[in-house]
Amino acid sequence: LAKTTQPISMDSYEGQEVNITCSHNNIATNDYITWYQQFPSQGPRFIIQGYKTKVTNEVASLFIPADRKSSTLSLPRVSLSDTAVYYCLVVNLAGGTSYGKLTFGQGTILTVHP
Amino acid sequence: DTEVTQTPKHLVMGMTNKKSLKCEQHMGHRAMYWYKQKAKKPPELMFVYSYEKLSINESVPSRFSPECPNSSLLNLHLHALQPEDSALYLCASSQEQGRNTEAFFGQGTRLTVV
């Protein structure tokens, strides 16, 4: 199971772009990278998933370099409501005992200020 | 309908009680998950069901007993819990175990053991 490392916390201001980087040095060939958002007293919410290069959806972009040992979640023009914990996960979609396990690391607490 | 419904929202139980947590989804998902989350910590995976069969048990103590009576329902039976088992219990579902990394989480059951 690939371990992930993220900054414990980040601060930003409304309207800014926020980039949260996750390190996953021992990612395996068939692992996918996924990000979740969690507000207090709620379940996590899926944001985006990727394997390599760049993925974009209506909420965020995910940048993955060629060596796949890190990834960056980019949130454009954040607002106060984006204050939450953001989790980076590396998920085995190939097979084996860890197949499909969604294992959460420590996450990054993002605080958006007015 | 992209909702995972958990009941009850709050539960207080004594150490000698038996209680059950319930989870329901009507998205046709065939993978369902139980997580435990302590305050200011990431969710910890407890169990995974795939096509109503237990697929992953993360060495959870036997005082927690999962059950998947059909493809839409997931229960967690609780017996002889300890105060340290107090936490937010989250249920999640996904299309299939290992098909992708998008899971839908419920709001959780806040459990207090006294």
Side-chain angles (χ1 to χ4, degrees), chain B residues 14 18-19 23 37 45 50 53 59-60 67 77 96 103-104:
Chain B
K18 284 184 183 182
K19 296 285 185 184
C23 175
Q37 186 172 27
L45 182 65
S50 178
K53 292 194 188 316
S59 303
V60 178
E67 179 198 20
H77 303 297
E96 289 182 3
F104 294 81

Side-chain angles (χ1 to χ4, degrees), chain B residues 36 60-65 77-82 84-85:
Chain B
K36 171 183 176 180
V60 178
S62 59
R63 58 185 184 271
F64 296 92
S65 174
H77 303 297
L78 314 172
H79 172 56
L81 295 193
Q82 303 296 310
E84 58 265 28
D85 296 321

Side-chain angles (χ1 to χ4, degrees), chain B:
Chain B
D1 181 8
T2 57
E3 199 170 292
V4 174
T5 304
Q6 291 188 242
T7 55
K9 286 188 173 24
H10 300 274
L11 178 62
V12 179
M13 63 184 289
M15 289 187 283
T16 58
N17 290 161
K18 284 184 183 182
K19 296 285 185 184
S20 296
L21 309 184
K22 295 186 184 307
C23 175
E24 192 167 1
Q25 57 88 14
H26 296 289
M27 294 177 277
H29 289 172
R30 304 314 298 267
M32 296 187 78
Y33 311 76
W34 279 116
Y35 284 82
K36 171 183 176 180
Q37 186 172 27
K38 303 279 275 185
K40 300 190 187 306
K41 297 291 186 184
E44 291 177 47
L45 182 65
M46 300 174 73
F47 303 104
V48 180
Y49 271 82
S50 178
Y51 286 85
E52 294 108 75
K53 292 194 188 316
L54 184 63
S55 171
I56 295 175
N57 176 345
E58 293 284 76
S59 303
V60 178
S62 59
R63 58 185 184 271
F64 296 92
S65 174
E67 179 198 20
C68 190
N70 62 54
S71 60
S72 300
L73 294 174
L74 185 66
N75 298 322
L76 186 62
H77 303 297
L78 314 172
H79 172 56
L81 295 193
Q82 303 296 310
E84 58 265 28
D85 296 321
S86 299
L88 181 68
Y89 287 84
L90 294 162
C91 173
S93 72
S94 66
Q95 278 186 307
E96 289 182 3
Q97 182 183 350
R99 180 169 179 173
N100 58 41
T101 66
E102 182 174 11
F104 294 81
F105 282 78
Q107 298 272 47
T109 294
R110 177 76 60 189
L111 175 68
T112 304
V113 182
V114 296

Side-chain angles (χ1 to χ4, degrees), chain A residues 9-20 73-84 86 108-114:
Chain A
S9 64
M10 292 181 69
D11 289 275
S12 184
Y13 292 89
E14 282 191 291
Q16 289 189 334
E17 178 184 75
V18 170
N19 296 308
I20 307 174
L73 175 73
S74 181
L75 304 172
R77 296 179 300 281
V78 295
S79 64
L80 296 176
S81 61
D82 292 314
T83 294
Y86 291 81
T108 297
I109 302 170
L110 172 66
T111 304
V112 180
H113 302 277

Side-chain angles (χ1 to χ4, degrees), chain A residues 45-67:
Chain A
R45 184 174 73 107
F46 172 85
I47 301 174
I48 198 165
Q49 164 189 301
Y51 183 78
K52 61 181 179 180
T53 62
K54 177 183 174 183
V55 180
T56 298
N57 63 21
E58 64 276 7
V59 176
S61 294
L62 178 59
F63 298 91
I64 305 168
D67 66 5

